[in-house]
């Protein structure tokens, strides 16, 4: 039936710069407090599929050296999932309806699609996502997403455009006990273009809902700036990542 979730969020960021040469030091504080309610209802469809609309309302207070005062925020989403075919599609939107600071507005829209037909981590998998404006994915958790902290120095997030696509294929390895998953990804945004190759190794999992207890991956990335002048350097990176679930 109907699911209701209440959420309380606190975000506080403090930045400090010391005196350098002829520049005086500075200090800035940004805070955000939010209390919200999210409602979700699942409607069963044929063959085990389901359609789940959601609606969220939140009251927020901004403080510090940025915009200050109270605001009212609303978010909505629509999720369609078909586990039998391994297909999942989701549409999410978020908008700051009103704020004491009349010039302060936030709107965001995101669309995502995932295809993972195998019951475990073997076989093909594909995911596509496109986001416009302020970050909308994540429901009530959107404002505490780590990428929000990374973008605090940007002029505005309402003009953000980002497309991400991932393609991978899980293969048996080491006597069928492990899964080797080569994959590739591309991230196109208004600021940069990223191309990534990944080789991941993890234990064989028979259920896609279960997270792998551990995973090790080798990732190579090429990043190009979308706004840099002609002849600007291109960044290349190679990383080794290890994750352990406990």
């Amino acid at each position: 039936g109907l699911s209701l979730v209440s959420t309380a969020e606190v975000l506080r960021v403090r930045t400090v710069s010391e005196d350098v040469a002829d520049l005086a030091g500075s200090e800035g504080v940004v805070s955000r407090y939010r209390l919200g309610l999210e409602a979700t209802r699942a409607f069963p469809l044929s063959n085990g599929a389901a359609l789940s609309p959601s609606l969220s309302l939140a009251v927020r207070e901004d403080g510090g050296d940025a915009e200050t005062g109270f605001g009212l925020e609303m978010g909505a989403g629509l999720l369609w999932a078909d586990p039998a075919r391994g297909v999942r599609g989701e549409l999410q939107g978020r908008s700051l309806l009103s704020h004491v600071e009349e010039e302060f507005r936030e709107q965001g829209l995101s669309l995502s699609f995932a295809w993972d037909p195998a019951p475990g981590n073997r076989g093909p998998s594909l995911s596509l996502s496109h986001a416009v404006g302020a970050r909308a994915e994540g429901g009530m958790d959107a404002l505490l997403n780590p990428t929000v902290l990374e973008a605090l120095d940007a002029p505005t997030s309402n003009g953000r455009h980002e497309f991400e696509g991932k393609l991978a294929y899980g293969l048996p390895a080491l006597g069928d006990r492990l899964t080797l998953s080569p994959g590739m990804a591309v991230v196109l945004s208004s600021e940069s273009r990223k191309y990534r190759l990944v080789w991941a190794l993890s234990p064989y999992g028979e259920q896609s809902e279960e997270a792998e207890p551990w995973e090790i991956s080798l990732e190579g990335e090429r990043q190009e700036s979308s706004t840099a002048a002609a002849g600007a350097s291109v960044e290349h990176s190679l990383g080794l990542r290890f994750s352990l679930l406990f």
Side-chain angles (χ1 to χ4, degrees):
L2 183 66
S3 172
L4 295 176
V5 179
S6 60
T7 304
E9 295 180 348
V10 177
L11 172 66
R12 184 176 177 85
V13 179
R14 177 173 177 263
T15 60
V16 178
S17 63
E18 299 179 351
D19 296 338
V20 179
D22 297 331
L23 298 179
S26 63
E27 179 177 344
V29 177
V30 176
S31 63
R32 182 174 298 162
Y33 307 94
R34 193 171 74 158
L35 179 65
L37 181 67
E38 184 175 21
T40 306
R41 175 76 183 270
F43 295 92
L45 303 176
S46 59
N47 300 324
L51 190 65
S52 303
S54 62
L55 179 66
S56 60
L57 291 174
V59 178
R60 57 189 281 182
E61 181 187 13
D62 298 280
D65 298 327
E67 290 79 10
T68 59
F70 286 91
L72 177 63
E73 184 179 16
M74 183 181 72
L78 184 63
L79 169 65
W80 172 67
D82 189 346
R85 296 180 174 87
V87 178
R88 177 188 176 97
E90 188 169 11
L91 175 66
Q92 291 186 344
R94 179 168 67 89
S95 176
L96 185 61
L97 299 180
S98 64
H99 199 276
V100 174
E101 296 284 346
E102 296 182 357
E103 300 300 326
F104 185 32
R105 290 292 181 265
E106 286 183 346
Q107 293 86 30
L109 183 68
S110 68
L111 176 65
S112 62
F113 172 81
W115 176 64
D116 190 1
N121 55 2
R122 298 280 175 85
S125 63
L126 172 68
S127 64
L128 302 171
S129 65
H130 183 68
V132 179
R135 192 162 298 278
E137 62 273 18
M140 293 294 292
D141 298 328
L143 288 181
L144 289 187
N145 193 298
T147 55
V148 175
L149 299 180
E150 297 173 1
L152 281 177
D153 58 346
T156 176
S157 59
N158 288 333
R160 182 181 68 98
H161 292 265
E162 182 176 283
F163 170 82
E164 182 174 357
K166 298 179 181 178
L167 177 63
Y169 198 96
L171 302 170
L174 296 180
D176 207 31
R177 296 189 300 270
L178 302 178
T179 297
L180 178 64
S181 303
M184 59 185 301
V186 58
V187 181
L188 307 177
S189 68
S190 52
E191 296 84 14
S192 64
R193 299 184 295 270
K194 299 179 182 179
Y195 307 95
R196 188 178 301 125
L197 293 177
V198 181
W199 290 80
L201 186 66
S202 61
Y204 173 52
E206 296 182 354
Q207 299 296 329
S208 57
E209 292 81 4
E210 298 179 358
E212 289 83 358
W214 62 266
E215 183 181 75
I216 184 171
S217 61
L218 180 64
E219 304 177 2
E221 182 179 277
R222 172 188 173 95
Q223 179 174 345
E224 304 173 354
S225 175
S226 301
T227 57
S233 61
V234 178
E235 297 182 4
H236 295 85
S237 63
L238 183 64
L240 182 64
R241 185 187 305 272
F242 176 75
S243 62
L244 177 65
L245 181 65
F246 59 91

